[in-house]
């Protein structure tokens, strides 16, 4: 008598972990490009966004607004000092241009900035070392995290964890490419 083969166990698809997808208007220029008009423009706007300068906010919002899908919720990312002040101005300007809702619900325990750590020769803080809390109602639909510059992506990942789902990080400049092994390779994300 022929024996029936044992039934094969079905392998279920692993649950996909929530992710942060990065869209940036510009790659942050490497130091070798400083002094060029484009590099000076990108760096100047990035610097002025940290102080929530109105002209820089308008320039960045105009560049980022076309990347926001209709009906998205924009959430400003807190900076290393714990405040969302500078990114709130950017989020609100993008919200006005796109008709999107802005929810300022993230708070972060202050820590040293990734930029300052890099300047001191220290390794960047991983997302797991950052304490970011969500203090508002749960979000539905597309969530857009607004940040001026993404340095390592760790803050965005900590913010995404606090929100509890997928998120798109929208940033004026993406500096991740200049901090890797090949500092001359910058990547444009948008």
């Amino acid at each position: 008598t022929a024996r029936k083969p044992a039934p094969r166990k079905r392998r279920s698809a692993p649950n996909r972990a929530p992710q942060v997808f990065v869209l940036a208007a510009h790659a942050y220029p490497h130091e070798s490009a400083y002094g060029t008009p484009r590099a000076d423009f990108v760096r100047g706007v990035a610097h002025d966004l940290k102080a929530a300068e109105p002209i820089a906010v308008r320039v960045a919002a105009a560049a980022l607004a076309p990347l926001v899908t209709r009906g998205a919720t924009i959430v400003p990312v807190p900076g290393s000092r714990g405040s969302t002040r500078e990114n709130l101005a950017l989020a609100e300007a993008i919200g006005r241009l796109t008709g999107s809702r802005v929810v300022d619900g993230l708070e972060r325990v202050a820590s040293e900035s990734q930029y300052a750590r890099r300047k001191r020769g220290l390794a960047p803080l991983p997302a797991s070392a950052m304490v970011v809390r969500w203090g508002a109602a749960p979000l539905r639909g597309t969530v857009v995290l607004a940040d001026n510059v993404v340095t390592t992506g760790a803050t965005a990942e900590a913010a995404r964890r606090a929100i509890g789902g997928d998120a798109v990080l929208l940033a004026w400049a993406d500096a991740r490419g200049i901090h890797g092994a090949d500092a001359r390779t910058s990547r444009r994300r948008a």
Side-chain angles (χ1 to χ4, degrees):
T1 62
R3 219 160 106 172
K4 275 182 150 178
R8 294 182 95 170
K9 287 187 178 181
R10 279 185 159 189
R11 289 177 65 176
S12 60
N15 290 336
R16 184 183 62 77
Q19 299 177 9
V20 175
F21 304 95
V22 178
L23 295 174
H26 299 278
Y28 198 84
H30 184 265
E31 291 170 1
S32 64
Y34 290 2
T36 64
R38 183 182 178 285
D40 289 349
F41 170 70
V42 172
R43 288 181 64 234
V45 171
H47 177 74
D48 289 348
L49 282 172
K50 293 211 178 277
E53 292 291 334
I55 292 173
V57 169
R58 284 194 301 272
V59 167
L64 295 171
L67 303 174
V68 176
T69 59
R70 185 168 298 285
T73 300
I74 303 172
V75 178
V77 173
S80 59
R81 293 184 185 116
S83 170
T84 60
R85 186 185 67 82
E86 59 272 351
N87 290 327
L88 178 59
L90 178 60
E92 287 174 338
I94 295 168
R96 281 191 298 276
L97 292 173
T98 62
S100 298
R101 177 173 75 127
V102 175
V103 178
D104 185 14
L106 287 171
E107 63 180 55
R108 176 179 170 185
V109 174
S111 61
E112 187 175 22
S113 75
Q114 299 289 34
Y115 176 78
R117 290 182 64 80
R118 184 175 67 87
K119 286 292 188 187
R120 291 187 22 213
L122 299 173
L125 285 173
S128 60
M130 294 185 185
V131 179
V132 178
R133 295 182 195 98
W134 179 247
L139 298 173
R140 290 188 176 89
T142 304
V143 176
V144 176
L145 300 171
D147 201 352
N148 48 19
V149 176
V150 57
T151 306
T152 65
T155 305
E157 177 56 28
R160 193 242 6 112
R161 274 197 336 265
I163 289 169
D166 286 344
V168 175
L169 174 66
L170 202 56
W172 166 251
D174 184 346
R176 294 174 304 161
I178 65 170
H179 301 298
D182 181 7
R184 295 188 186 276
T185 306
S186 294
R187 297 169 299 210
R188 181 183 165 120
R189 296 289 182 203

